[in-house]
Amino acid sequence: MDVIQYQDPTGQTMVSRWPANGTAPIRFGSQLIVEESQQAVFFRDGKALDTFGPGRHTLQTQNVPVLASVLSIPFGGQSPFQAAVFFVSTKTFLDLKWGTKEPVIFRDHDLAMVRLRAFGKFAVRIVNAQLFVNTVVGSRGLYSSQGVEDYFRDVIVARLTDVLGENLTSIFDLPKLYDELAMALKSRVADDFGKYGIELADLFLGAITPPEEVQKMIDERSGMGALGDMNAYMKFKTARAIGDAAQQPGGGAGGAIGAGLGLGMGAGVGAMLPGMMRDAMQATPPPAAPAAPAPAAAAPAAPENPVAGKLRQLKGLLDEGLISQEEFSAKRQKLLDEM
């Protein structure tokens, strides 16, 4: 007695064909075993004849009427017939991933055009085995969940652009809308799965991330506490620029203006110019009082007597022990005589 069955060792096989290529002779009385999470589709001459649910099926004309009606086999016939069996897994395939290969363009209410990336997971199960085999698998001997994941990843991203445009006005609202966006996206792509005999069991939106420079804007606006006030955000940026410039050498009101203009904040800084000029004028110290006139130069001292200078030099030599007392006395007398 022949037994026809298939058990998936990987957990990722959606469809497996018996035999792997072409058809094989099936003798009457053979046992077809279909697992609880499977359906088996009988094919002959390229057409699906019947679908068998879970259980053990004995292939006899009295047990499987389609064999007699379609194959024209007389009741109780024993001649083998050529056929192929496709085992289709009906379990739920989890942890399938989707995401944007390239950023999608989103028109943001506050930031104009923004490039966004998104990713998440989805889960599927086959609900119409014959439709799935005929429209997706074809004559292949094996088909895994990787094929479904690769195809529907791009389908989900294509629908995501429409969902964002209809349900989101600003990326600053994203934190409170993830569940709503995921539900809207699941509803939008359900028909794309259904036409292939697949049910979209779950779809999750992991994250939607703007470019790094936009994330920096979000962080600054959060710190400022004015998420909905763009005018306040521009003032905040200008104030930050002025503060940074003031800390640099040569900073001050003029440096702050230059920094603000360099950041493209000309309009905001122009509105602040009067106040900045007033503050600068108030901060400028008053001019110093005129300095008192310098005292008149002292009258030149009278020239020193040369003999007195020589006597002092001579006394210094004596004090240092370079000449004796007798030498000092003799030279001093000589100088005094010359006066």
Side-chain angles (χ1 to χ4, degrees):
M1 181 179 65
D2 295 332
V3 176
I4 304 172
Q5 65 178 347
Y6 174 75
Q7 293 180 343
D8 178 20
T10 67
Q12 301 301 318
T13 301
M14 285 187 146
V15 177
S16 178
R17 173 177 176 157
W18 182 93
N21 296 293
T23 60
I26 299 178
R27 294 183 297 180
F28 282 95
S30 298
Q31 300 290 307
L32 173 65
I33 300 177
V34 182
E35 301 292 336
E36 185 65 30
S37 59
Q38 290 179 339
Q39 289 185 345
V41 183
F42 252 70
F43 272 81
R44 177 180 172 86
D45 297 332
K47 296 181 179 180
L49 302 182
D50 200 2
T51 300
F52 295 85
R56 179 186 291 268
H57 306 274
T58 301
L59 301 180
Q60 299 282 6
T61 54
Q62 58 266 36
N63 296 334
V64 188
V66 69
L67 297 179
S69 61
V70 177
L71 301 180
S72 300
I73 297 175
F75 185 83
Q78 297 297 319
S79 302
F81 59 93
Q82 295 290 125
V85 181
F86 285 81
F87 289 91
V88 180
S89 177
T90 57
K91 74 167 191 173
T92 301
F93 289 86
L94 306 172
D95 203 32
L96 305 181
K97 298 177 177 60
W98 66 270
T100 54
K101 296 179 182 178
E102 299 294 335
V104 297
I105 303 299
F106 172 69
R107 184 184 295 276
D108 190 274
H109 179 268
D110 294 327
L111 303 175
M113 305 302 290
V114 180
R115 294 175 292 111
L116 298 177
R117 292 184 179 275
F119 63 90
K121 295 183 179 182
F122 64 103
V124 300
R125 57 175 168 263
I126 299 172
V127 293
N128 189 326
Q130 285 194 28
L131 179 61
F132 184 75
V133 171
N134 288 330
T135 58
V136 178
V137 180
S139 60
R140 280 174 284 190
L142 196 70
Y143 192 86
S144 71
S145 59
Q146 184 66 48
V148 170
E149 183 178 22
D150 291 343
Y151 175 74
F152 284 105
R153 178 189 298 117
D154 294 337
V155 173
I156 293 173
V157 171
R159 300 290 184 247
L160 174 66
T161 305
D162 294 336
V163 171
L164 290 178
E166 295 172 0
N167 297 274
L168 185 66
T169 57
S170 174
I171 61 174
F172 297 115
D173 298 330
L174 275 176
K176 63 180 181 181
L177 293 177
Y178 271 109
D179 288 344
E180 289 80 355
L181 290 173
M183 293 176 60
L185 183 58
K186 179 182 177 182
S187 177
R188 181 63 61 89
V189 300
D191 290 342
D192 296 309
F193 285 80
K195 65 184 179 182
Y196 298 106
I198 304 173
E199 178 186 12
L200 179 60
D202 289 301
L203 187 146
F204 300 101
L205 184 58
I208 299 178
T209 57
E212 183 177 352
E213 60 270 18
V214 178
Q215 293 185 43
K216 185 177 180 181
M217 293 180 186
I218 297 174
D219 293 340
E220 290 178 344
R221 289 189 63 172
S222 298
M224 181 187 62
L227 290 179
D229 190 344
M230 199 61 184
N231 182 49
Y233 172 64
M234 298 298 289
K235 292 180 180 178
F236 173 71
K237 286 289 290 182
T238 304
R240 284 281 298 271
I242 294 173
D244 292 343
Q247 296 176 6
Q248 302 298 325
I257 295 172
L261 291 175
L263 289 169
M265 304 293 181
V269 173
M272 299 175 65
L273 276 176
M276 292 171 60
M277 293 177 64
R278 182 179 62 252
D279 294 342
M281 293 177 66
Q282 292 176 353
T284 303
E304 185 181 16
N305 190 322
V307 176
K310 290 180 180 181
L311 287 173
R312 278 193 293 270
Q313 293 177 3
L314 191 63
K315 181 64 169 65
L317 294 175
L318 176 64
D319 292 340
E320 295 177 6
L322 298 177
I323 59 176
S324 64
Q325 182 64 42
E326 291 78 7
E327 291 175 329
F328 170 73
S329 299
K331 291 185 178 293
R332 182 186 63 177
Q333 186 62 43
K334 183 179 180 181
L335 289 173
L336 292 175
D337 291 342
E338 293 177 356
M339 292 180 61

